[in-house]
Amino acid sequence: MRKNSKAAIIDAAIYLFNTKGFNGTSVRDIAARADVNAANISYYFQNKNGLLENCFTVFFESYLKELEQGFAFLEYGSEYCLNAMVGNVLRYQCENIQLTRFILREMTIDSQVVREIMSTYHVKERYMFKKVLETGIEKGEFKKHSVLYSILQLKGLLQMPFLNTHYVTEVLHVLPHEKYFADKYSDEISQWIKGTLCTDQQVHQKMLINI
Amino acid sequence: MRKNSKAAIIDAAIYLFNTKGFNGTSVRDIAARADVNAANISYYFQNKNGLLENCFTVFFESYLKELEQGFAFLEYGSEYCLNAMVGNVLRYQCENIQLTRFILREMTIDSQVVREIMSTYHVKERYMFKKVLETGIEKGEFKKHSVLYSILQLKGLLQMPFLNTHYVTEVLHVLPHEKYFADKYSDEISQWIKGTLCTDQQVHQKMLINI
């Protein structure tokens, strides 16, 4: 068995799930594309559902790690911390664009796996975003805003270009798979954080100095 | 043939597509749920694909009409106009939450129908958003911002709660099917428009009056 055959199986599965759909893909197709024996797939993942669950786990474990690394900066201020979380997530999602697209699309269905993911990973994610937003409000960095609606907006911004890759590429001619995209789009979300969440403190201070 | 059987077929189809998926739904299932004879479905839509295309057309024709009605306010200012467009779209999407969810999910796939929809409806939508944003920038109402990235953000905000209904309901406890949601979320997006797109003109003017 090749050393990297597990990774090759996952890559092949994601490609096929994205193009032919989960139901339209057979274990045989995956084995052929990954250039492995179908028995390898059974060995690592039992069956196609095991492979699907593995994709979810791989994605969300890494996703949460990226969030946590940004969250660790909370003592440096909420705006700084939120920007770090956004930057990390976007970089990760750009580097794993096929997997991200597949997972985000699967998450829009109401299934048993999705409910389990929500009650573990999404609850942890909500805890971190809530903490950052509430700390920002307490310390006067952020406006007194509905925290849950802010999370809703932020999540919408973070997933849009990955879930709608074709729209974004074909209609807006923005290319999420290009290297500069993660940086450019992080800047855009920073503008949203500054404009929509932050208090006018800094603007006021500048005005007073000017006058 | 009952007068409203066409509408009943569409309602039944959307419900079944959302719960069992397009491939997992048969014409027989749809006929049973709509309480019509399967021949009625052939009469109106030929087959399941015809029914799917009809769902797309119904959604996007109404969606564009809502946008156009808001777009007509451009002479009253870009911020006012964009708020009207957002308010109309959110109200329509809340009133047709099942259809919206299904269509937005289908639009994330790369298919022939999706490409056709993009080249007609999405191009018209882009024209309107672009015109409003560019007019706002020209007249000094909006900051000099990347127009296409602003559309990307706006689209992300508009679709988030409808595409991720389960996440929004189960994790954030925000209920998109409640009556107040459209108004509340329109206000949220207005804050985004004011904070992220609008120039600081008004803030500055207020500051000068206070001082």
Side-chain angles (χ1 to χ4, degrees):
Chain A
M1 238 178 252
R2 282 179 300 148
K3 212 177 165 188
N4 55 355
S5 64
K6 194 173 172 186
I9 293 166
I10 294 177
D11 280 353
I14 294 163
Y15 175 84
L16 291 166
F17 292 164
N18 266 340
T19 45
K20 301 171 77 178
F22 179 74
N23 290 325
T25 302
S26 69
V27 168
R28 198 184 285 248
D29 296 336
I30 300 168
R33 193 176 166 88
D35 197 16
V36 300
N37 194 300
N40 276 16
I41 298 180
S42 316
Y43 172 77
Y44 286 125
F45 309 103
Q46 288 203 321
N47 51 32
K48 210 171 61 164
N49 273 315
L51 188 46
L52 179 68
E53 276 178 40
N54 188 276
C55 289
F56 273 105
T57 314
V58 164
F59 178 81
F60 279 106
E61 287 292 335
S62 310
Y63 177 88
L64 265 200
K65 218 162 99 187
E66 297 292 341
L67 276 184
E68 279 162 1
Q69 279 170 3
F71 185 62
F73 291 117
L74 185 54
E75 53 181 313
Y76 298 102
S78 290
E79 185 186 359
Y80 184 82
C81 173
L82 202 53
N83 277 322
M85 290 167 90
V86 165
N88 284 357
V89 164
L90 290 180
R91 193 188 23 76
Y92 174 74
Q93 294 190 162
C94 280
E95 282 167 6
N96 299 278
I97 203 159
Q98 291 294 331
L99 176 63
T100 303
R101 194 183 155 214
F102 173 66
I103 296 291
L104 291 180
R105 213 180 112 70
E106 284 300 301
M107 290 303 296
T108 64
I109 314 173
D110 184 21
S111 71
Q112 188 54 34
V113 185
V114 167
R115 284 178 181 267
E116 281 164 21
I117 292 288
M118 278 185 189
S119 63
T120 52
Y121 298 108
H122 277 163
V123 167
K124 282 186 199 164
E125 179 200 50
R126 184 189 63 194
Y127 166 78
M128 285 188 268
F129 281 143
K130 221 175 151 201
K131 184 83 185 162
V132 178
L133 291 165
E134 284 172 352
T135 307
I137 292 170
E138 269 167 38
K139 299 207 171 158
E141 252 193 286
F142 290 162
K143 288 176 204 158
K144 279 187 190 118
H145 223 255
S146 159
V147 166
L148 295 176
Y149 273 86
S150 299
I151 297 176
L152 192 148
Q153 287 190 49
L154 180 56
K155 292 275 294 171
L157 296 175
L158 285 175
Q159 72 176 29
M160 165 68 193
F162 303 97
L163 202 44
N164 299 278
T165 325
H166 290 290
Y167 168 78
V168 169
T169 314
E170 304 292 327
V171 183
L172 301 183
H173 311 300
V174 167
L175 308 170
H177 51 273
E178 291 277 0
K179 263 196 168 171
Y180 64 86
F181 177 77
D183 290 337
K184 170 83 180 125
Y185 196 53
S186 293
D187 281 353
E188 293 290 323
I189 300 187
S190 291
Q191 295 299 317
W192 171 80
I193 294 171
K194 190 166 272 322
T196 312
L197 298 183
C198 286
T199 49
D200 297 330
Q201 257 184 343
Q202 289 168 315
V203 178
H204 281 220
Q205 278 168 359
K206 265 190 210 153
M207 282 293 301
L208 289 170
I209 293 162
N210 288 340
I211 290 161
Chain B
M1 241 180 255
R2 283 178 299 147
K3 214 180 166 185
N4 56 354
S5 64
K6 194 175 170 184
I9 293 166
I10 293 178
D11 281 352
I14 292 164
Y15 174 83
L16 291 167
F17 292 163
N18 267 340
T19 46
K20 302 171 71 176
F22 179 74
N23 290 325
T25 303
S26 69
V27 168
R28 197 184 285 250
D29 297 334
I30 300 168
R33 190 174 167 91
D35 197 16
V36 300
N37 193 300
N40 277 16
I41 298 180
S42 314
Y43 172 77
Y44 286 126
F45 308 103
Q46 289 202 314
N47 51 32
K48 210 172 61 165
N49 273 315
L51 186 46
L52 179 68
E53 275 178 41
N54 188 277
C55 289
F56 274 104
T57 315
V58 164
F59 178 81
F60 279 106
E61 287 293 335
S62 310
Y63 177 88
L64 264 199
K65 219 163 98 186
E66 298 292 343
L67 276 184
E68 279 161 1
Q69 280 171 3
F71 185 63
F73 290 118
L74 185 54
E75 54 182 310
Y76 298 101
S78 290
E79 186 185 358
Y80 184 82
C81 173
L82 202 52
N83 276 322
M85 290 167 90
V86 166
N88 284 357
V89 164
L90 290 181
R91 192 189 24 72
Y92 173 74
Q93 293 190 162
C94 280
E95 281 166 7
N96 299 278
I97 202 159
Q98 290 294 332
L99 176 61
T100 302
R101 191 181 156 217
F102 173 66
I103 296 291
L104 291 181
R105 213 180 112 70
E106 285 298 303
M107 290 305 293
T108 63
I109 314 172
D110 183 22
S111 71
Q112 188 55 33
V113 184
V114 167
R115 284 176 181 268
E116 280 165 21
I117 292 288
M118 278 185 190
S119 63
T120 51
Y121 298 108
H122 276 163
V123 167
K124 282 186 197 164
E125 180 199 49
R126 184 189 61 194
Y127 167 79
M128 285 188 270
F129 281 143
K130 220 174 150 199
K131 184 86 185 159
V132 177
L133 290 166
E134 284 173 351
T135 308
I137 292 171
E138 268 166 38
K139 297 204 171 160
E141 252 193 286
F142 290 161
K143 288 175 206 159
K144 280 186 189 119
H145 221 256
S146 158
V147 166
L148 295 176
Y149 273 86
S150 300
I151 297 176
L152 191 149
Q153 289 191 46
L154 180 57
K155 291 275 293 171
L157 295 174
L158 286 174
Q159 71 176 31
M160 166 67 193
F162 303 97
L163 200 45
N164 300 279
T165 324
H166 291 289
Y167 169 78
V168 169
T169 314
E170 305 292 326
V171 183
L172 301 183
H173 311 300
V174 166
L175 308 170
H177 52 270
E178 293 278 0
K179 261 195 170 173
Y180 65 84
F181 177 78
D183 290 338
K184 170 81 179 128
Y185 196 54
S186 293
D187 281 352
E188 293 289 323
I189 301 188
S190 290
Q191 295 300 318
W192 171 79
I193 294 171
K194 192 167 272 320
T196 312
L197 297 183
C198 287
T199 49
D200 298 330
Q201 256 184 346
Q202 289 167 316
V203 178
H204 282 220
Q205 277 169 2
K206 265 191 210 155
M207 280 294 299
L208 289 170
I209 292 162
N210 288 343
I211 292 162

